[in-house]
Amino acid sequence: MASQVIPLQTQEIEYLQTEMNQSAISKEMISKNGHNINQKRGTVQLFNEKDEEVNSIGDLTIIMIGIMSGSFTFGYAITYLTLSFDTVFDQINLKGSKNEEQGLFSAILPIGCIVGAVSSHFLMQILTRNQTLIVADICGMLSILSLVPIREMILAFRFMYGVCNGISCIVMPIYIKELCPQKYYERFSVMAGFLIGIGVLVAFIFGLGYLNDDLRGPDTHWWQVMFAVPPVVFFFRQLIVTVIYKMDSPISLLEKGMQLQAKNVVERLYTQKSVEQAFLKAQLRVQYNEEHREGLSSIFSKKHGTTVAIGCVLMFIYTWCGIFAVFSYSSQFFASMVDNDLTLNTIFSLILGISQQLPAYVSKFFYGKWGKRSLLIFGLIFIICCQIIVIGLSYTENSAAVIIKFIVLCLFAFVYALTISPICWSMTPEINSSEGTYFCIISVFVWQLFMLYVFPFMLEGMSMTGSFILFTILTFLCLIFSYFFVKETKGLNHREIDILYGKGE
């Protein structure tokens, strides 16, 4: 989880290295700005282009973290509810069995994510990036009403939290790429992964509060403290990005005809000597987007079909290899391993959260030497070995077997966060168009919805053993698919990747 790369770092957004013919618009901009534009095949660049300098790297860091704080809430959403189920259910009237209600309360979030992700496509057509993020954060701040201990209120405003996450997952990476200077982009894209892992870990740390008898049960408000964290984060995101710094994407402002506002943003962000170049590049990007726009129907064409299928399969195994279910239902999962010992359950959950955060500090050493395909294949094989060991140890209940099984799950989480998770989120936009990536992101919310709803029933009906047998079969099938269809992209630019997958000349 910690090494996730938030989606939509797409080839259209990330590089200007693509075929582009000189047009009347670009000619006009050349004459007005005095810059020459190199028109090589597959290239758009300025002659004598220099790295843009920002007025303050500190301010830029605050702005980037503010925008990406949605990554924190994305990670926090994965685990905060599972730790609070028992306490919340003690304070509301349930309308079904405990498993049914757990499934419903878990599934309502990805349902909201799907609605949010789908609506973001239409919102971004009429709103700027920051305006779209404001809509998301309004939905997120409304989730404060989920603190009301009424079943329907919690469900309704947990759904709103999901809508916010769905919109954010689409908008944040586009916003970051369009706003952040290229020389700083890599460090901030890595920071997004840190924030996801920190969100997971913070939820587990808050879960330590339930070790105190006074903080669980029908008379406590601790669960409301945990539920209040995301809306507070959304409030501060708007305070920082919109109120204090008055930021927006210059590209989206230009697309909406707001040239003066776009120039103001560039002037606030860049030093005086870099403003003209940065503004011209934003204009060129708008021109390129208009000339090379594809509709959603293009993802079903032969040209894009293979890479979209790969993206959807990657998002499937990201959700259905088993560790996502363990994170989402950690308390319920570990309860069967430790005979409902709350202290051990909480400690196990916290250590598992730390295990998935550690790869964020070592991943750069692996990615510098190995390609994504190699790491993906290695990760899938290692995870299958972990799954088989968990299945074997599930047939015995002695203490030694429980400890070994937990250690294996921590290794599982570590390798998952080092390989499967970041590769799924980075390779999908790398090989797909923005439309294809958009479709794949929606698919992950669909897989999560199905997983979150059915896993409590799987755990009850199939036990841990049967559940992991299913996860192992699915992971093995994805390994076979990846071996034959996923290609190595290490060292290739986006044009070369298109050619590799038969989408370019």
Side-chain angles (χ1 to χ4, degrees), residues 122-170:
F122 304 100
L123 288 171
M124 287 192 293
Q125 291 179 355
I126 60 175
L127 302 175
T128 66
R129 304 291 180 251
N130 198 62
Q131 288 169 348
T132 306
L133 209 59
I134 290 173
V135 173
D137 287 343
I138 289 173
C139 295
M141 286 185 279
L142 284 174
S143 68
I144 193 73
L145 294 175
S146 65
L147 274 60
V148 179
I150 299 174
R151 176 182 178 274
E152 289 73 19
M153 289 285 286
I154 296 173
L155 286 171
F157 291 100
R158 181 167 160 80
F159 171 83
M160 296 300 289
Y161 180 17
V163 171
C164 176
N165 276 346
I167 298 174
S168 287
C169 280
I170 302 294

Side-chain angles (χ1 to χ4, degrees), residues 37-54:
I37 301 174
N38 186 13
Q39 290 295 335
K40 298 178 183 178
R41 177 176 174 81
T43 306
V44 172
Q45 64 183 69
L46 303 176
F47 280 121
N48 302 319
E49 181 177 323
K50 298 178 181 179
D51 287 338
E52 293 97 351
E53 298 296 332
V54 296

Side-chain angles (χ1 to χ4, degrees), residues 9 31 35 182 242-243 267 352 380 398 501:
Q9 296 163 359
S31 62
H35 287 279
Q182 184 63 42
T242 305
V243 178
E267 289 174 345
L352 189 70
L380 290 170
N398 64 64
Y501 280 100

Side-chain angles (χ1 to χ4, degrees), residues 79-379:
T79 51
Y80 83 106
L81 181 63
T82 181
L83 305 169
S84 307
F85 270 135
D86 291 340
T87 300
V88 172
F89 285 180
D90 283 342
Q91 298 187 22
I92 63 174
N93 296 319
L94 304 181
K95 295 187 177 180
S97 68
K98 187 174 181 179
N99 278 344
E100 290 173 340
E101 292 291 84
Q102 283 182 351
L104 176 60
F105 274 74
S106 297
I108 199 68
L109 183 76
I111 291 174
C113 288
I114 294 171
V115 173
V118 171
S119 64
S120 68
H121 177 73
F122 304 100
L123 288 171
M124 287 192 293
Q125 291 179 355
I126 60 175
L127 302 175
T128 66
R129 304 291 180 251
N130 198 62
Q131 288 169 348
T132 306
L133 209 59
I134 290 173
V135 173
D137 287 343
I138 289 173
C139 295
M141 286 185 279
L142 284 174
S143 68
I144 193 73
L145 294 175
S146 65
L147 274 60
V148 179
I150 299 174
R151 176 182 178 274
E152 289 73 19
M153 289 285 286
I154 296 173
L155 286 171
F157 291 100
R158 181 167 160 80
F159 171 83
M160 296 300 289
Y161 180 17
V163 171
C164 176
N165 276 346
I167 298 174
S168 287
C169 280
I170 302 294
V171 176
M172 284 189 300
I174 301 177
Y175 196 170
I176 291 293
K177 186 58 193 180
E178 292 178 348
L179 185 63
C180 183
Q182 184 63 42
K183 65 183 291 186
Y184 301 114
Y185 176 72
E186 185 176 354
R187 72 177 70 172
F188 288 120
S189 64
V190 172
M191 193 178 295
F194 282 123
L195 290 171
I196 292 172
I198 291 171
V200 173
L201 186 58
V202 167
F204 282 130
I205 292 173
F206 269 102
L208 294 174
Y210 290 119
L211 293 177
N212 186 335
D213 291 340
D214 294 333
L215 297 182
R216 63 178 188 271
D219 300 318
T220 180
H221 298 289
W222 184 247
W223 69 272
Q224 292 165 315
V225 173
M226 293 188 67
F227 277 44
V229 170
V232 170
V233 172
F234 298 134
F235 171 79
F236 277 102
R237 175 159 70 176
Q238 283 308 309
L239 180 64
I240 293 169
V241 178
T242 305
V243 178
I244 297 177
Y245 286 98
K246 299 179 175 63
M247 280 291 118
D248 208 328
S249 160
I251 292 173
S252 67
L253 288 167
L254 287 170
E255 288 176 339
K256 303 302 182 294
M258 303 177 184
Q259 292 205 10
L260 180 60
Q261 293 91 328
K263 190 67 175 289
N264 289 338
V265 168
V266 173
E267 289 174 345
R268 284 196 295 271
L269 196 60
Y270 293 93
T271 59
Q272 185 175 359
K273 66 180 182 180
S274 298
V275 167
E276 185 179 2
Q277 177 178 293
F279 189 62
L280 175 58
K281 287 172 67 176
Q283 291 175 305
L284 290 173
R285 169 50 59 195
V286 172
Q287 177 189 335
Y288 172 78
N289 288 344
E290 292 175 352
E291 294 178 357
H292 296 80
R293 198 179 303 278
E294 290 185 293
L296 280 174
S297 60
S298 65
I299 66 175
F300 302 107
S301 66
K302 183 178 180 180
K303 176 182 176 181
H304 296 286
T306 300
T307 53
V308 170
I310 291 171
C312 289
V313 169
L314 290 175
M315 292 302 181
F316 176 82
I317 198 57
Y318 163 78
T319 308
W320 277 87
C321 67
I323 201 67
F324 181 83
V326 175
F327 274 116
S328 300
Y329 288 101
S330 58
S331 293
Q332 295 72 27
F333 186 85
F334 289 132
S336 62
M337 292 175 55
V338 298
D339 294 328
N340 294 308
D341 186 315
L342 180 62
T343 301
L344 274 178
N345 191 324
T346 305
I347 292 173
F348 275 17
S349 296
L350 179 62
I351 294 175
L352 189 70
I354 295 172
S355 298
Q356 60 80 41
Q357 177 69 11
L358 292 176
Y361 303 98
V362 300
S363 59
K364 64 179 180 180
F365 301 108
F366 289 89
Y367 281 90
K369 297 179 180 179
W370 291 25
K372 290 180 181 177
R373 182 182 184 276
S374 301
L375 279 171
L376 176 65
I377 299 299
F378 164 77

